[in-house]
Amino acid sequence: MVTIAGQAVHRQLAIGRLWYLSKTHPELLRAQAEDTDAELRAFRAAKEEVVGRLHELYRESVPKVGELLAHTFEIHAMMVEDEAYTNMVESMIAGEKATAAYAVAATGRHYAQMLEQMEDPYFRSRSEDIREITDRLTDMLLRNRSEVKLAKPVILMAENLAPGETMQLDHSRILGIVTHYGSENSHAAILARTMNLPAITGVAIRDEWDGREAVLDGENGLLIVDPDEKTLAVYREKILARAKEEEELRSLLPLPAETKSGVHVPLLANVGSAADAAAAAEKGAEGIGLLRTEFLCLAGTEYPSEEQQTETYRSVLATMQGKPVTIRTFDLGADKRASYLDWPEETNPDLGFRAIRISLAEEGPFRAQLRAILRASAYGDVRVLYPMISAEWEIRRIDEIFREERRNLLEQGVSVGDVKQGIMIETPAAAVVCDRLAPYVNFFSIGTNDLTQYLLAADRRNPYVAPYYDTHHEAVMRTIEAVVKTAHEHGVTVGVCGELAADVTVTQTLLRMGVDDLSMAPNSLLKVKRSVRECE
Ligand code: PEP
Ligand code: MG
């Protein structure tokens, strides 16, 4: 038995077999095929199998991440079946007597390089897709399948998981996540919490653990490989106790989120997809406080269209049945990089081209998103939230654009609802000048994840400065208190939507400061409701 200490990401427990998700593929050497016909048959069979699997992945993903994201698998299937691509692979096999695996790898490399050199960022981004389908085909040909059918759910080990990859995990096959790189406040970690997957990070992964039994203790940030019977018994007991606690929490579902003195505190959910909204509704969310729309951009090959977005927002509204839905405009950048955007390498991505800065620089996609939000607003209570505001001119310009788009839609006879506008308070600048920003908006939403990193100059994704990323730091608390006070003086409501909203050790403090609502991962709603009900 070995116990490795890491950092807790999501405080849940799991027992199961470890499964190593290796992203490296063996370098394919140029080998002379002995039987060209056999290689051609192998390529055609692999192609058929990969296309079948991609269609299957598409069908499996729709209920999990929604039509928009799942569509990527269909695009990949089309690419595998592309005539020019197939001809090139087959002529290498037939003409140059290459093995099928080599021909696929070489053709993939050729297309990827060609696309990378193109001017248009859209085509450049497609090189990633070419690499992905090439990997699938070579894995299939070499039977080194990265995506095996798992007989039983497993604990996934990986060096690193990007937000897009985390989102695509099959929940029913994953018991938990162990990564080497990452941190508690990265977006991949936030997604793991939203999906309610036990997770730890900071563990130096060893591939020889693949297939071994393990305990993932997300509470204490531990990975125990080859646990002995005594340890297993202790953890089985803990898992049972957890299940019992969850059962008790479920009994709070019909009760109001009210303090002992009768103050109602709306408890809202943070979600990244229509599927998450269903989990939020199940846990009794009184609305969506934060729809992280940028996740709609991460798995695709281009910005989601206005129609696709309208559909997604409408489906979240339908799930929430009349409850308010706060749609945050794309918060791309930093660790949320969409492959099709033409970004230069940044020295400090968190201080770089992010969120509203991208939206104001690329007005086309921003206007399309606002139109989608406005169109959806005819079907429910929609609010729009702008991320990363740091200056008054930004909100003034946003307000102009918003009004223009609203007017245009009305002129075209499109019905739109009364959409309230709000801003994230997540830069120290916004917190300091929030009195100047207040006249433009109806609400503030404090993003404590970023606010903490910027106030304390401690990168939220860097495990080496984790001790400096102190979410309870007096600077953070005083800033929240000051923002609430100023906002209320200007008739603006204030919610907290960072991870601090789910921290029950500060519920009482936040309510005492006058915070109007709290928004969190769906899985934390009942725990926070219990805490609110215990407040005076
Ligand atoms: C935040 O910064 O607190 C926030 C809610 O936004 P995100 O975590 O998506 O950056
Ligand atoms: Mg943020």
Side-chain angles (χ1 to χ4, degrees):
M1 173 167 109
V2 259
T3 303
I4 306 98
Q7 196 193 346
V9 168
H10 184 39
R11 295 162 198 281
Q12 292 281 15
L13 306 166
I15 299 176
R17 299 237 163 246
L18 288 164
W19 185 65
Y20 185 44
L21 177 71
S22 160
K23 293 187 200 156
T24 52
H25 289 272
E27 199 46 48
L28 293 164
L29 299 174
R30 168 136 213 168
Q32 197 74 7
E34 282 167 17
D35 180 347
T36 300
D37 287 340
E39 294 298 324
L40 277 174
R41 279 197 303 277
F43 169 63
R44 287 171 193 158
K47 195 173 121 177
E48 205 179 304
E49 243 186 288
V50 165
V51 169
R53 179 63 189 132
L54 285 166
H55 289 317
E56 206 174 284
L57 277 170
Y58 165 74
R59 285 192 298 275
E60 286 167 6
S61 307
V62 171
K64 202 152 56 85
V65 295
E67 163 71 32
L68 193 58
L69 295 180
H71 191 63
T72 313
F73 293 120
E74 290 291 85
I75 294 175
H76 284 185
M78 274 171 350
M79 290 169 97
V80 176
E81 289 189 301
D82 180 75
E83 212 182 308
Y85 174 81
T86 303
N87 285 346
M88 184 160 174
V89 175
E90 294 200 349
S91 65
M92 270 188 96
I93 299 172
E96 299 174 30
K97 296 206 176 319
T99 58
Y102 180 81
V104 165
T107 306
R109 258 198 309 273
H110 165 81
Y111 272 99
Q113 277 163 7
M114 195 176 82
L115 289 166
E116 262 162 22
Q117 281 157 14
M118 294 197 130
E119 282 268 305
D120 187 330
Y122 170 78
F123 285 111
R124 274 212 305 279
S125 73
R126 285 255 130 103
S127 62
E128 277 304 309
D129 299 286
I130 289 281
R131 285 209 183 86
E132 204 170 319
I133 62 162
T134 303
D135 283 350
R136 276 191 194 278
L137 280 165
T138 49
D139 279 354
M140 189 68 76
L141 286 161
L142 298 169
R143 295 290 147 185
N144 161 37
R145 300 177 55 175
S146 57
E147 192 215 315
V148 286
K149 283 254 181 209
L150 302 166
K152 272 189 168 180
V154 291
I155 298 175
L156 184 142
M157 294 188 290
E159 284 299 315
N160 196 6
L161 272 185
E165 289 167 327
T166 313
M167 198 166 51
Q168 285 177 28
L169 294 177
D170 181 348
H171 205 158
S172 62
R173 300 198 295 171
I174 307 290
L175 295 168
I177 304 173
V178 181
T179 55
H180 186 184
Y181 301 102
S183 79
E184 198 187 342
N185 298 290
S186 68
H187 286 98
I190 288 172
L191 273 166
R193 281 196 285 277
T194 306
M195 295 164 85
N196 199 21
L197 285 171
I200 64 173
T201 187
V203 175
I205 308 283
R206 307 242 300 261
D207 54 5
E208 77 246 29
W209 294 338
D210 194 27
R212 308 252 286 263
E213 183 158 48
V215 169
L216 193 170
D217 177 349
E219 210 159 66
N220 300 299
L222 300 176
L223 177 70
I224 307 169
V225 184
D226 298 332
D228 57 25
E229 265 316 309
K230 208 168 127 214
T231 309
L232 278 173
V234 169
Y235 276 98
R236 284 193 189 114
E237 192 68 23
K238 282 191 185 192
I239 289 173
L240 280 179
R242 273 296 176 103
K244 198 159 158 259
E245 196 200 349
E246 273 175 26
E247 189 63 48
E248 278 165 23
L249 283 175
R250 263 198 292 279
S251 68
L252 295 178
L253 208 49
L255 303 179
E258 260 177 29
T259 61
K260 286 186 183 156
S261 50
V263 177
H264 173 231
V265 184
L267 298 184
L268 313 169
N270 296 350
V271 299
S273 67
D276 292 347
E282 241 171 63
K283 295 274 160 89
E286 291 177 59
I288 301 298
L290 175 61
L291 172 58
R292 288 183 164 103
T293 58
E294 59 279 4
F295 291 142
L296 306 176
C297 305
L298 295 183
T301 50
E302 59 192 325
Y303 272 115
S305 69
E306 186 176 326
E307 292 70 31
Q308 286 171 320
Q309 289 183 62
T310 310
E311 267 312 292
T312 305
Y313 305 151
R314 277 187 63 178
S315 111
V316 174
L317 283 163
T319 306
M320 296 314 290
Q321 301 187 343
K323 295 183 177 128
V325 172
T326 310
I327 305 177
R328 179 172 73 180
T329 59
F330 301 139
D331 184 22
L332 288 163
D335 59 343
K336 292 181 285 196
R337 295 177 75 91
S339 55
Y340 47 90
L341 288 186
D342 193 16
W343 267 311
E345 274 306 310
E346 295 178 300
T347 325
N348 292 306
D350 286 79
L351 302 182
F353 197 42
R354 274 194 71 178
I356 204 67
R357 299 172 181 183
I358 299 177
S359 298
L360 289 176
E362 296 194 4
E363 270 190 22
F366 183 49
R367 285 179 183 269
Q369 181 169 34
L370 290 179
R371 285 196 298 275
I373 293 171
L374 284 160
R375 283 178 191 278
S377 71
Y379 302 89
D381 181 355
V382 172
R383 300 163 191 203
V384 59
L385 176 62
Y386 306 110
M388 242 331 242
I389 300 294
S390 59
E392 189 183 343
W393 71 262
E394 292 170 315
I395 186 62
R396 202 182 313 118
R397 177 70 190 131
I398 292 165
D399 192 43
E400 266 167 30
I401 298 174
F402 178 82
R403 283 169 196 276
E404 265 170 42
E405 290 305 332
R406 187 167 198 280
R407 203 171 40 244
N408 289 344
L409 286 175
L410 288 172
E411 276 168 18
Q412 290 162 27
V414 177
S415 47
V416 299
D418 172 27
V419 178
K420 298 211 164 34
Q421 297 187 87
I423 52 169
M424 299 279 298
I425 301 288
E426 54 185 346
T427 66
V432 173
V433 300
C434 67
D435 58 325
R436 297 235 180 253
L437 308 173
Y440 299 90
V441 296
N442 300 102
F443 66 99
F444 286 163
S445 189
I446 306 184
T448 51
N449 306 336
D450 278 316
L451 185 62
T452 304
Q453 80 162 342
Y454 295 132
L455 272 175
L456 305 180
D459 182 349
R460 66 194 269 191
R461 288 178 287 144
N462 182 344
Y464 296 104
V465 294
Y468 290 93
Y469 188 93
D470 173 7
T471 54
H472 294 180
H473 195 291
E474 194 181 341
V476 177
M477 291 301 166
R478 280 211 224 165
T479 305
I480 298 174
E481 191 166 19
V483 169
V484 174
K485 186 167 173 289
T486 309
H488 287 172
E489 282 164 10
H490 288 77
V492 165
T493 61
V494 191
V496 172
C497 69
E499 298 296 293
L500 196 70
D503 181 344
V504 290
T505 64
V506 294
T507 310
Q508 174 95 57
T509 313
L510 294 176
L511 299 188
R512 212 182 292 125
M513 289 176 183
V515 167
D516 297 294
D517 57 68
L518 298 168
S519 191
M520 64 208 75
N523 198 48
S524 299
L525 284 161
L526 291 170
K527 188 184 67 171
V528 175
K529 189 189 272 191
R530 180 170 64 191
S531 175
V532 168
R533 292 176 61 82
E534 283 162 3
C535 289
E536 289 307 322

